[in-house]
């Protein structure tokens, strides 16, 4: 089982957290740089904890490229009632091709589209929670057809 992680950084609220059934006081804390790649750092770390030994660890840079390429190559995959291309058009008002180039340059923040691409590509599910004063509130879940792994973010 991968370690439970809580990621926090200077510019953002914490990004990862243990499942709500576990204590909020005992997550493994791992800080991620606030460099525009926080989602990629976090996903790469989680990905590397579940990868089989012998596989080369994936870097956040490699994961950024891989997910951008995956979205570019699979714009017609369905997720949450829309294709990836429709999500991109709705959220960013750009084509999949333009979005691909946008995400490949600089340190653009990853978001829901990259999470959806990761879930589809790696057969995972991700649960996203908001931390309120004394409890967690479930916001959304992103799930592939037959998930092999589960990550919990907050």
């Amino acid at each position: 089982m991968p370690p439970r992680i809580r990621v926090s950084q200077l510019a953002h609220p914490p990004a990862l957290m243990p499942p709500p059934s576990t204590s909020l006081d005992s997550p493994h804390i791992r800080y991620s740089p606030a460099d525009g790649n926080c989602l990629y750092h976090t996903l790469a770390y989680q990905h590397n904890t579940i990868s089989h030994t012998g596989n080369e660890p994936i870097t956040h840079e490699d994961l950024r490229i891989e997910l951008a390429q995956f979205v570019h190559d699979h714009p017609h995959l369905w997720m949450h009632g829309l294709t990836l291309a429709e999500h991109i058009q709705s959220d960013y008002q750009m084509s999949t091709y333009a979005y691909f180039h946008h995400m490949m340059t600089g340190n653009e923040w990853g978001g829901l589209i990259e999470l959806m691409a990761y879930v589809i590509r790696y057969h995972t599910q991700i649960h996203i929670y908001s931390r309120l004063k004394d409890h967690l509130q479930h916001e959304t879940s992103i799930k592939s057809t037959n998930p092999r792994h589960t990550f919990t973010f907050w």
Side-chain angles (χ1 to χ4, degrees):
M1 177 175 194
R4 296 175 301 206
I5 309 171
R6 177 177 162 207
V7 176
S8 55
Q9 53 223 348
L10 301 174
H12 314 303
L16 282 180
M17 154 113 217
S21 60
T22 63
S23 169
L24 297 181
D25 299 326
S26 63
H28 171 74
I29 298 173
R30 180 175 185 279
Y31 293 93
S32 182
D35 63 356
N37 290 297
C38 56
L39 178 67
Y40 300 103
H41 284 289
T42 301
L43 286 174
Y45 179 80
Q46 269 304 86
H47 181 86
N48 291 331
T49 64
I50 62 170
S51 292
H52 303 290
T53 30
N55 289 350
E56 284 290 318
I58 193 165
T59 65
H60 73 276
E61 296 98 343
D62 293 340
L63 190 58
R64 173 185 281 279
I65 292 166
E66 183 179 327
L67 294 179
Q69 187 68 53
F70 184 85
V71 170
H72 179 265
D73 294 346
H74 302 93
H76 301 295
L77 289 177
W78 281 84
M79 192 61 148
H80 291 275
L82 297 173
T83 65
L84 290 175
E86 290 168 334
H87 280 287
I88 291 167
Q89 183 60 43
S90 172
D91 293 351
Y92 296 94
Q93 292 77 46
M94 61 177 70
S95 69
T96 307
Y97 181 78
Y99 184 77
F100 168 75
H101 287 283
H102 177 72
M103 293 309 289
M104 294 293 288
T105 60
N107 293 328
E108 292 297 325
W109 290 9
L112 183 59
I113 291 166
E114 288 70 33
L115 287 171
M116 288 189 290
Y118 186 89
V119 161
I120 295 168
R121 170 74 179 88
Y122 288 105
H123 307 284
T124 60
Q125 60 183 339
I126 296 174
H127 301 288
I128 301 172
Y129 291 81
S130 293
R131 184 174 184 180
L132 304 177
K133 288 183 182 181
D134 59 351
H135 68 283
L136 296 176
Q137 175 178 312
H138 184 257
E139 298 293 338
T140 192
S141 293
I142 308 165
K143 181 177 172 183
S144 67
T145 307
N146 294 306
R148 295 182 214 144
H149 306 285
T150 299
F151 301 150
T152 303
F153 292 78
W154 74 307

